[in-house]
Amino acid sequence: MPICISCRHPIPVLYTTYSKADDRALGKGVRLTQCPNCKGFADKYVEHDFVVLFIDLVLIKPEVYRHLLFNRLSQNNGTFDRAIIRLGILLLLFDVYLTWARIEKLPLPPPNHLSTNAAILQAQPLLFQYLFFLGLVALSTLAFHLPIRLLCSTNPDRIPHVFRGVWRRCVPYYAHPTPLSTALLVSSCTKLFPILLIIWDYDLPSSATAVSWAVIVNNIAALEILMDCGYVRAGTLVAVGACVSSAVGWGMVWGAGLGTGWEGYSPVEEVWGWWREMAALV
Ligand SMILES: [Zn+2]
């Protein structure tokens, strides 16, 4: 059943059509249902177009997430809405472009670290390079979604009694995994921002990093809004998914003999360098 996007109160119908001649997209011929609980409109977004929805998604407004996850994209039979499948494919293709551009610029592992991965990649046919990055991104995405789906859909009653209390505190229970993937895909739409890179010439690796952090913040917000589980538990779930996904991605890049960007990386030196910079500022 649809819900009120402000207070989550169940609403039988979100709007009433009283004239067939007019268009819902223009806000004509439609009367929005008033929520009996909070007295506001139950879902004002039924009248809004995609551009407004996209801007509010990027601004992480909980109401627009509730509209999409509960009132527009939820399917009772456990399958994905067609719009979500299309969005998933679009995100995958965008991710291939971003990942390709980022990995190509990374230095090769020693002793060839003065050259970049592009030297190895360009020796391969273009189709082979594309298929490699397509496989890399598809497997990384699966590795992000599967742990979150598995953890949340595990019934706490099946956990051994000793760990059950800790499990309930750390992992929210959500019986249907499809809305979880829908929430993660909808909240990843920030990935579409690099389309601006086609117009303006940005520093691509740093843009890719900024975009991936923005996507993570959106993912946490979406899981929190869907499951109402608090930001700490949603953040832990996204962190687990991101770790598994990164491990799969690095494993594939390393297995292909390419530089992962982690060769010669020392956390101690990083912290020491950061500390010296801070000391110099003070
Ligand atoms: Zn309400």
Side-chain angles (χ1 to χ4, degrees):
M1 188 189 268
I3 60 165
C4 165
I5 58 170
S6 305
C7 69
R8 291 172 162 262
H9 189 80
I11 306 285
V13 280
L14 295 172
Y15 60 90
T16 320
T17 312
Y18 57 86
S19 163
K20 284 195 167 56
D22 288 318
D23 188 355
R24 178 167 67 92
L26 298 172
K28 291 177 185 168
V30 164
R31 182 176 290 139
L32 293 176
T33 308
Q34 192 186 26
C35 170
N37 187 42
C38 68
K39 309 297 178 204
F41 288 130
D43 189 346
K44 61 179 180 177
Y45 285 105
V46 293
E47 286 186 333
H48 290 193
D49 65 7
F50 179 72
V51 178
V52 178
L53 293 182
F54 181 73
I55 293 169
D56 284 359
L57 264 182
V58 174
L59 295 174
I60 320 182
K61 291 199 175 170
E63 289 85 7
V64 72
Y65 275 106
R66 286 187 201 120
H67 163 74
L68 287 171
L69 298 177
F70 293 97
N71 297 348
R72 184 175 279 207
L73 300 172
S74 69
Q75 303 272 328
N76 292 328
N77 54 6
T79 54
F80 286 107
D81 188 277
R82 288 170 72 90
I84 282 299
I85 297 172
R86 283 199 294 268
L87 177 70
I89 294 170
L90 191 67
L91 289 171
L92 195 71
L93 298 179
F94 253 77
D95 230 3
V96 170
Y97 165 68
L98 272 184
T99 311
W100 194 337
R102 184 172 55 83
I103 289 181
E104 208 174 41
K105 291 193 171 74
L106 291 175
L108 278 171
N112 301 318
H113 59 275
L114 292 178
S115 183
T116 62
N117 285 336
I120 290 187
L121 287 169
Q122 280 163 8
Q124 305 295 331
L126 198 62
L127 182 67
F128 182 78
Q129 290 182 50
Y130 189 82
L131 290 177
F132 171 73
F133 284 107
L134 188 64
L136 174 70
V137 170
L139 286 177
S140 303
T141 309
L142 275 180
F144 181 60
H145 283 237
L146 288 180
I148 296 176
R149 291 171 62 120
L150 193 71
L151 285 171
C152 292
S153 59
T154 303
N155 192 335
D157 294 336
R158 293 193 186 157
I159 301 292
H161 188 71
V162 190
F163 305 113
R164 199 174 295 162
V166 182
W167 183 274
R168 276 186 204 278
R169 268 199 294 278
C170 298
V171 185
Y173 176 56
Y174 202 83
H176 314 289
T178 308
L180 291 168
S181 284
T182 302
L184 291 175
L185 286 171
V186 164
S187 58
S188 299
C189 68
T190 322
K191 274 185 192 164
L192 301 178
F193 261 120
I195 199 165
L196 298 173
L197 295 173
I198 298 167
I199 309 167
W200 292 293
D201 191 21
Y202 287 122
D203 173 17
L204 204 116
S206 56
S207 312
T209 312
V211 164
S212 50
W213 278 108
V215 169
I216 283 175
V217 171
N218 276 276
N219 287 158
I220 295 172
L223 287 186
E224 201 281 326
I225 292 160
L226 179 70
M227 295 190 282
D228 203 14
C229 60
Y231 286 104
V232 175
R233 293 202 291 174
T236 312
L237 282 171
V238 171
V240 170
C243 285
V244 177
S245 167
S246 302
V248 168
W250 285 326
M252 278 188 76
V253 172
W254 178 79
L258 299 169
T260 58
W262 285 87
E263 293 86 3
Y265 178 82
S266 157
V268 179
E269 270 181 34
E270 181 84 1
V271 173
W272 179 234
W274 176 78
W275 178 251
R276 272 186 305 186
E277 274 177 32
M278 290 298 287
L281 279 177
V282 175

